[in-house]
Amino acid sequence: MSEQRIVRPTPISGFPEWLPQIRSVEQRWLDHIRAGFERYGFASVETPSVEALDVLMAKGETSQEVYTLHRLQADAGDDSDARLGLHFDLTVPFARYVAQHFNELVFPFKRYQVQRVWRGERPQEGRFREFTQCDIDVINVDQVPLHFDAELPRIVHEVLSGLDIPAWTLNINNRKVLQGCYEGLGIGDPLAVIRAVDKLHKIGADGVRAILVEQVGLSDEQAGVCLDLSGIRGSDTSVLDQVAKLGVRSELLSEGLDELGFVLDSLSDLPAGSVVADLSIARGLDYYTGTVYEATFDDDPGYGSICAGGRYENLAGQFIRRSLPGVGISIGLTRIFAKLVAEGRIDAGRLCPTDVLVAVPGDARRADALRTAALLRERGFNTEVYHQAAKIGKQIQYASRKGIPFVWFPPFEDGGPHEVKDLATGEQTEADPASWTRA
Amino acid sequence: MSEQRIVRPTPISGFPEWLPQIRSVEQRWLDHIRAGFERYGFASVETPSVEALDVLMAKGETSQEVYTLHRLQADAGDDSDARLGLHFDLTVPFARYVAQHFNELVFPFKRYQVQRVWRGERPQEGRFREFTQCDIDVINVDQVPLHFDAELPRIVHEVLSGLDIPAWTLNINNRKVLQGCYEGLGIGDPLAVIRAVDKLHKIGADGVRAILVEQVGLSDEQAGVCLDLSGIRGSDTSVLDQVAKLGVRSELLSEGLDELGFVLDSLSDLPAGSVVADLSIARGLDYYTGTVYEATFDDDPGYGSICAGGRYENLAGQFIRRSLPGVGISIGLTRIFAKLVAEGRIDAGRLCPTDVLVAVPGDARRADALRTAALLRERGFNTEVYHQAAKIGKQIQYASRKGIPFVWFPPFEDGGPHEVKDLATGEQTEADPASWTRA
C-alpha cells in the first residue's frame, strides 16, 4: 500500500468547494432562499444537468460557454452522447421544461429552481465554471400580469435581506423606455444603442458616445439624449418626470414609463434606496422586452450583478408554437457566497449538526447510552454516542473540537442520575433525557 | 416569431425529470433523509461535480462509465478541460476531499453527501445516466471503531422506514468471513472466489460451481463448502453456529465472525427480518475489507441494490500517505424513487407549496390584499395574491386547480370582515389574518 503511487489532489480552478463549517452556512442560506420562494407560492422544479445541444443552442448565443459530455471510452461510432451539453443557466432548461410538459402544468406557472450550472470558461481567477443559481420565474399563456414584475423584486428583497450580506441595490429599468426613447429620436436600430449603452459602466460615457456616433451612426444630438437618458436614476416615480423633460415622445416610451411607474409604485413600501430605477440598465440579452433587473453590491458594483432578470415576451417560442411570456429573476448564490468567503466575511458555521454527545463511561454502559441517545433524538436533538470506551476527558475534548454544545452522561450505575454538561459555561447538572431542554 | 424553427423537446434517456407534484415528494424525501443523517451528527459536504481524471481513475476500475467534459468551442491547443470528468459516485470525491483537507478536518469525520452522480452508460431502459445518491461515511485516522459498522445500518433503517416504500431487507456480511473461510480451505486466490460468488444471484449455484472448479481450480469439495457458506442466511447470531458447522478454521474467519456477530447483536432491537446476515453478499468492489451491506426490495430483489456499502481499510490511500480507514453506506435515492414513480406507487404531492390564496375583488382592494398576504406570510403561511382583478369564481378555480387549500377574502370595504374559504369542505367563515389558524 505504501508503495502505491500518490495522486496528490489539488483544487480545480473555477469549481468551488467548502469545508464543513462553511458548507453549513451555505446550506442555511439555501434553506432560507427556498423557504422565501415557497412563502410566495413558487413550486420547486429541477431539470437534468444536461440538455440536448440543439436545445441549448436554440438561441445561438452562448455557444462557447457550453460543456459537452463524452464517454471516456465510447465505442467507435457511438455518438449517442455527443449531442448533450451541461446547462449554462436555468432559464433555457425551464423554457424547454414548460414546452415539453405544457399540457400537464397549471398556468400561470410559478416555479423556483435551485441548481448548479456550468460554463466552459477558461480557467481564471474569480471565474466560476460550476456555480449555483436560484431562479424564480412566472410563465403564462399569452399574457403575464404586470403585478409579477413587482412581486419578484419584493421576493428577492425579502430573501436577501434575511442573509448577512453587504449592502446591495436592486436596479430596475424597462426596455420599452429605452427602445421607445430611441425610436422617438428616429433611430433605426435601437438594439444597437441598447448594446452600446449596456457598456456604460465598463467604458464610460465618452466611450459609449463614440460607439453611438461612429459605429451606430447617430447624430451628436441623438447620442446626447441617449446618454442623458442613461444618466437618469432615482428611487421613486420622479424619474418619470426626468425622462419627460428629455422631450422625446413615442407610444412605446409612454407604455414603458407606465410599466416602470407601476413597478416603482408597487415597491414604494420597501426601505428607501433598496430598489432604484436606473435607466442605464439594459441587460445585454436580446430576449428581454420589458422590465429588467440587475442587483450589485454598493461597495463593489464592478464585481458585476449578483441578481439579474427581466420580462421576456416568448422565451419558449423555440420549443412550442404557443405564446408563453414570462418574467423571472435569478440570484447568483455562488457569486455572492464565494466572494464573501474569499474576503473572510462569512462567519464559520458549525462543524457538525450534533446538539448532544452522549458519553460512554465503559462498554458495559453502552446499551444505556444508546437508549439515552435514541430518546434524545426522538425529542428532536441531533445526538451522537461516543464511538468507543475512552477516558471522559477525551470524550469531552472530542465534543469541544467538533463544537458540540452539550455532553450527556448516562448513569454510572442503574438507577443513578443522568447529568449534562454545557460546554459553553462548563456547568454540569442533573437532567432527565425525557424532559431536558436547552437552557 | 411563428416562422421560427421549432426544436421539439424530448426526454433524454437516463436523465429523469419530474412534474412539480412528483418533485415535491422527492423534495420531502430529501429533507427527510437529510434530517435523519443530521440526527446522528453527520455533517453535510458537497464536492464539485467534476474531478480530475487521474483522481477518478486512481482505482482504475470504472473507466468506461466516466463522462469527460469538453468546451464546445475550445481554442485549438487548449486542453485545460480535457482532464476533467463528472464523478460517478460520491466515495471517490469524498476520499479526495478528506485527503485534500486532511489538516482542516476533525476526526473521526462523519459526513453525509447528497448529490447527483453521472455514469456514461449506453442509453437503455432503466439505466440512469444521472441520479442522486445519499451517502454517509465515517472516516478516521488509523482505526475506525466497529460501533460505526452497526450505527450505519441503524441510520439507514430509521431513514428508509420513514418513507413510504415497499418492504426491503438490509443484508449484511463480512468480507473477512468469506476470505477467512476460503483461506481455511487452502484456497490460494480468495478474491477470485469472492468475484464468482458475487454472481450467485445472477447465474445460480451450478453456474458458480462451474466457475469455481473450472476457472478458479477448486476441488469439488472446496467448491461445495464455498457454496454451503454462501447459502447461510439468518437474522440473528445463529448464523455464526451454522458457519462453525462447516468445520473450517482460520484466524481471519474467527475475526470476521466476531465482527459480524457484534454488528448483528448491536442491531438485534430492530424489527425482526429488517437486517439479515446473508453470507452470499460479497460486493464486487475490491476495496471492501470487512462489513459489507446491500439492501434490496423483497418483492423485486432482481432490481438490484437500493443501498450498498461497507468497510474499507484505506480508501484515501491513493491521495495521501496516511492510513484512513472508513465505513460507509449509500442510499440509491433515484433508483428507489424512479422505480416507484414508474410503477405508479408514488402518491402525487402538492402542485405548489401555497397554503392560502388571497383573492383580489378589484384593483382598488389590491393594496389591502397585499397587506393581508404579508401578515399571513409573517405568520408562517405560504401565501399568494391572485395576480389580477378577476371574477371571484375564476380565482377560486385557480386555487382549486393548483391544490391550494384556502382562499382568503379581504374585506370588500374598509372595516368589513375578512373571510376564508376551505376548499376541501366548501365552508366559508369570518377570520382574522392576525390570529387565524388552519382547522
Side-chain angles (χ1 to χ4, degrees):
Chain A
M1 179 70 75
S2 59
E3 296 306 309
Q4 195 180 0
R5 188 175 70 94
I6 295 286
V7 177
R8 200 161 298 283
T10 50
I12 305 174
S13 162
F15 290 86
E17 173 171 276
W18 314 124
L19 287 171
Q21 60 271 37
I22 300 296
R23 166 63 189 160
S24 66
V25 179
E26 185 189 42
Q27 180 75 69
R28 198 170 66 222
W29 281 35
L30 286 164
D31 288 343
H32 170 82
I33 291 169
R34 174 180 150 199
F37 291 166
E38 294 190 347
R39 205 173 303 127
Y40 281 79
F42 285 70
S44 172
V45 159
E46 289 201 345
T47 59
S49 301
V50 309
E51 297 287 340
L53 269 189
D54 55 358
V55 166
L56 290 178
M57 312 290 281
K59 281 281 182 197
E61 280 186 48
T62 47
S63 53
Q64 70 260 55
E65 294 187 355
V66 173
Y67 274 127
T68 57
L69 297 193
H70 300 266
R71 288 168 58 211
L72 187 56
Q73 301 198 338
D75 308 326
D78 173 13
D79 64 349
S80 53
D81 302 315
R83 306 304 298 165
L84 298 180
L86 291 170
H87 55 218
F88 54 82
D89 71 6
L90 301 176
T91 309
V92 171
F94 175 57
R96 191 268 312 149
Y97 181 96
V98 170
Q100 187 174 320
H101 304 291
F102 180 76
N103 291 317
E104 298 159 287
L105 300 175
V106 179
F107 293 92
F109 183 45
K110 300 166 72 171
R111 84 85 174 82
Y112 74 92
Q113 189 167 353
V114 176
Q115 282 188 256
R116 299 176 181 217
V117 306
W118 293 266
R119 296 198 185 161
E121 305 272 0
R122 296 185 69 103
Q124 189 181 329
E125 206 51 53
R127 281 284 177 88
F128 298 106
R129 298 196 277 171
E130 174 175 55
F131 51 101
T132 298
Q133 298 268 81
C134 310
D135 281 30
I136 41 176
D137 285 82
V138 181
I139 202 162
N140 198 18
V141 181
D142 296 332
Q143 188 259 112
V144 173
L146 199 59
H147 294 292
F148 288 119
D149 297 50
E151 186 175 71
L152 298 192
R154 181 181 296 282
I155 297 172
V156 166
H157 179 267
E158 189 172 306
V159 162
L160 290 189
S161 297
L163 298 174
D164 186 21
I165 64 176
W168 57 282
T169 301
L170 184 65
N171 299 295
I172 298 194
N173 195 1
N174 190 303
R175 288 277 284 258
K176 289 178 186 171
V177 172
L178 301 184
Q179 192 163 341
C181 181
Y182 305 153
E183 285 178 12
L185 286 167
I187 296 170
D189 185 0
L191 276 179
V193 182
I194 284 179
R195 277 191 292 269
V197 171
D198 198 35
K199 301 197 174 95
L200 185 64
H201 297 282
K202 277 190 193 146
I203 62 175
D206 288 343
V208 171
R209 188 189 309 271
I211 294 178
L212 291 179
V213 173
E214 290 158 27
Q215 293 176 26
V216 187
L218 304 198
S219 69
D220 284 342
E221 197 187 328
Q222 286 174 321
V225 178
C226 291
L227 280 165
D228 287 346
L229 181 71
S230 73
I232 294 174
R233 189 178 151 83
S235 56
D236 59 37
T237 47
S238 70
V239 294
L240 308 183
D241 302 331
Q242 295 181 57
V243 177
K245 281 188 194 140
L246 296 177
V248 185
R249 298 278 175 275
S250 84
E251 208 172 307
L252 192 63
L253 175 58
S254 302
E255 198 180 314
L257 288 173
D258 284 350
E259 292 184 6
L260 183 59
F262 177 86
V263 172
L264 288 174
D265 235 14
S266 304
L267 296 170
S268 57
D269 61 311
L270 294 184
S274 50
V275 173
V276 170
D278 182 331
L279 275 62
S280 74
I281 301 294
R283 302 296 306 152
L285 294 171
D286 284 351
Y287 54 69
Y288 293 120
T289 50
T291 306
V292 286
Y293 312 108
E294 190 172 282
T296 49
F297 284 124
D298 293 353
D299 68 353
D300 191 3
Y303 182 66
S305 63
I306 57 170
C307 308
R311 170 177 278 258
Y312 35 87
E313 221 39 71
N314 198 7
L315 194 66
Q318 313 96 296
F319 307 123
I320 189 170
R321 289 198 194 283
R322 296 295 298 249
S323 167
L324 289 169
V327 56
I329 194 164
S330 174
I331 299 175
L333 176 79
T334 303
R335 272 190 77 76
I336 300 172
F337 192 73
K339 176 182 160 74
L340 300 186
V341 171
E343 295 173 355
R345 293 162 89 165
I346 293 286
D347 290 333
R350 303 192 53 187
L351 283 177
C352 69
T354 311
D355 301 310
V356 181
L357 173 73
V358 178
V360 180
D363 274 334
R365 307 302 303 177
R366 175 165 288 272
D368 203 33
L370 290 171
R371 270 193 304 274
T372 303
L375 181 54
L376 289 169
R377 286 191 194 106
E378 262 174 45
R379 297 190 52 237
F381 299 105
N382 296 334
T383 305
E384 283 186 59
V385 176
Y386 195 71
H387 43 275
Q388 58 196 8
K391 287 193 177 138
I392 291 298
K394 195 176 169 190
Q395 300 187 39
I396 292 173
Q397 191 190 25
Y398 169 82
S400 170
R401 293 181 64 214
K402 282 224 166 167
I404 299 172
F406 296 96
V407 179
W408 193 280
F409 302 98
F412 276 77
E413 52 187 27
D414 285 337
H418 290 259
E419 295 193 356
V420 63
K421 186 183 184 72
D422 179 338
L423 293 197
T425 64
E427 209 178 344
Q428 186 165 332
T429 49
E430 286 193 16
D432 179 351
S435 61
W436 175 76
T437 52
R438 298 179 68 146
Chain B
M1 179 69 76
S2 59
E3 298 307 309
Q4 195 178 1
R5 188 177 69 95
I6 295 286
V7 176
R8 201 161 298 283
T10 50
I12 305 173
S13 163
F15 290 85
E17 172 171 276
W18 313 124
L19 288 170
Q21 60 271 38
I22 300 296
R23 165 65 188 159
S24 66
V25 179
E26 185 187 43
Q27 181 75 69
R28 197 169 68 222
W29 281 36
L30 286 163
D31 288 343
H32 170 82
I33 291 169
R34 174 180 149 199
F37 292 165
E38 294 190 346
R39 203 173 303 126
Y40 281 79
F42 286 70
S44 173
V45 159
E46 289 200 345
T47 59
S49 302
V50 309
E51 298 286 340
L53 269 190
D54 55 358
V55 166
L56 290 179
M57 313 289 281
K59 282 282 180 198
E61 281 185 48
T62 47
S63 52
Q64 70 260 56
E65 294 186 355
V66 172
Y67 274 127
T68 57
L69 297 193
H70 300 265
R71 289 169 57 212
L72 187 56
Q73 300 198 341
D75 308 326
D78 173 13
D79 62 350
S80 54
D81 301 317
R83 306 304 297 166
L84 298 179
L86 293 170
H87 55 218
F88 54 83
D89 71 7
L90 302 175
T91 309
V92 172
F94 175 58
R96 191 267 313 149
Y97 181 95
V98 170
Q100 187 174 321
H101 304 291
F102 180 77
N103 292 317
E104 298 160 287
L105 300 175
V106 180
F107 292 93
F109 183 45
K110 301 166 70 172
R111 85 84 176 78
Y112 75 91
Q113 191 168 352
V114 176
Q115 281 187 257
R116 299 178 181 215
V117 305
W118 294 267
R119 296 199 183 160
E121 306 271 0
R122 297 184 69 101
Q124 187 181 329
E125 205 53 52
R127 280 283 178 88
F128 297 105
R129 299 196 277 170
E130 174 174 55
F131 51 102
T132 299
Q133 298 268 80
C134 309
D135 281 30
I136 40 176
D137 285 80
V138 182
I139 202 161
N140 198 18
V141 182
D142 296 332
Q143 187 260 112
V144 172
L146 200 59
H147 293 291
F148 288 120
D149 297 51
E151 187 174 70
L152 298 193
R154 182 181 297 281
I155 298 171
V156 166
H157 179 267
E158 191 171 306
V159 162
L160 289 189
S161 297
L163 297 174
D164 187 21
I165 64 175
W168 56 282
T169 301
L170 184 64
N171 299 295
I172 297 194
N173 195 2
N174 190 302
R175 287 278 282 259
K176 291 178 184 171
V177 172
L178 302 183
Q179 193 163 340
C181 182
Y182 306 153
E183 285 177 12
L185 287 167
I187 296 169
D189 185 0
L191 277 178
V193 182
I194 283 178
R195 278 191 290 269
V197 170
D198 198 36
K199 301 197 174 95
L200 186 64
H201 297 283
K202 277 191 193 145
I203 63 175
D206 289 344
V208 173
R209 188 188 308 271
I211 295 177
L212 291 179
V213 173
E214 290 158 26
Q215 293 177 25
V216 187
L218 305 198
S219 69
D220 283 344
E221 198 187 328
Q222 286 174 322
V225 178
C226 291
L227 281 164
D228 286 347
L229 180 71
S230 74
I232 295 174
R233 190 180 150 81
S235 56
D236 59 37
T237 47
S238 69
V239 293
L240 308 183
D241 303 331
Q242 295 179 56
V243 177
K245 282 189 193 137
L246 296 177
V248 185
R249 299 278 174 276
S250 84
E251 210 173 305
L252 192 63
L253 176 57
S254 301
E255 198 180 314
L257 288 174
D258 284 350
E259 292 184 8
L260 184 58
F262 178 86
V263 173
L264 288 175
D265 236 14
S266 305
L267 297 170
S268 57
D269 60 309
L270 294 184
S274 51
V275 174
V276 170
D278 182 331
L279 275 62
S280 74
I281 301 295
R283 300 299 304 155
L285 292 172
D286 285 350
Y287 54 70
Y288 292 122
T289 50
T291 307
V292 286
Y293 313 107
E294 189 172 282
T296 48
F297 284 125
D298 293 353
D299 68 353
D300 190 3
Y303 182 66
S305 62
I306 58 170
C307 307
R311 170 178 276 259
Y312 36 86
E313 221 40 69
N314 198 8
L315 194 67
Q318 312 96 294
F319 306 122
I320 190 170
R321 291 198 194 282
R322 295 297 298 248
S323 168
L324 289 169
V327 56
I329 195 164
S330 173
I331 299 175
L333 176 79
T334 303
R335 273 190 76 76
I336 299 172
F337 192 73
K339 176 181 158 76
L340 300 187
V341 171
E343 294 173 356
R345 292 161 90 165
I346 294 287
D347 290 332
R350 302 190 54 186
L351 282 177
C352 71
T354 312
D355 301 311
V356 180
L357 173 74
V358 178
V360 180
D363 274 332
R365 305 303 301 177
R366 172 164 292 270
D368 202 32
L370 289 172
R371 270 194 303 275
T372 302
L375 181 53
L376 289 169
R377 285 190 195 107
E378 261 174 45
R379 298 190 52 238
F381 299 105
N382 295 333
T383 305
E384 282 184 59
V385 175
Y386 196 72
H387 42 275
Q388 59 195 7
K391 286 192 178 140
I392 290 299
K394 196 176 168 189
Q395 300 188 39
I396 293 174
Q397 189 191 26
Y398 168 82
S400 169
R401 292 181 66 214
K402 282 226 167 165
I404 299 171
F406 296 96
V407 179
W408 193 280
F409 302 98
F412 276 78
E413 52 186 27
D414 286 336
H418 290 259
E419 296 192 357
V420 62
K421 185 184 185 74
D422 179 337
L423 292 198
T425 63
E427 210 178 344
Q428 185 164 332
T429 50
E430 286 193 13
D432 179 351
S435 61
W436 175 75
T437 52
R438 298 178 66 147

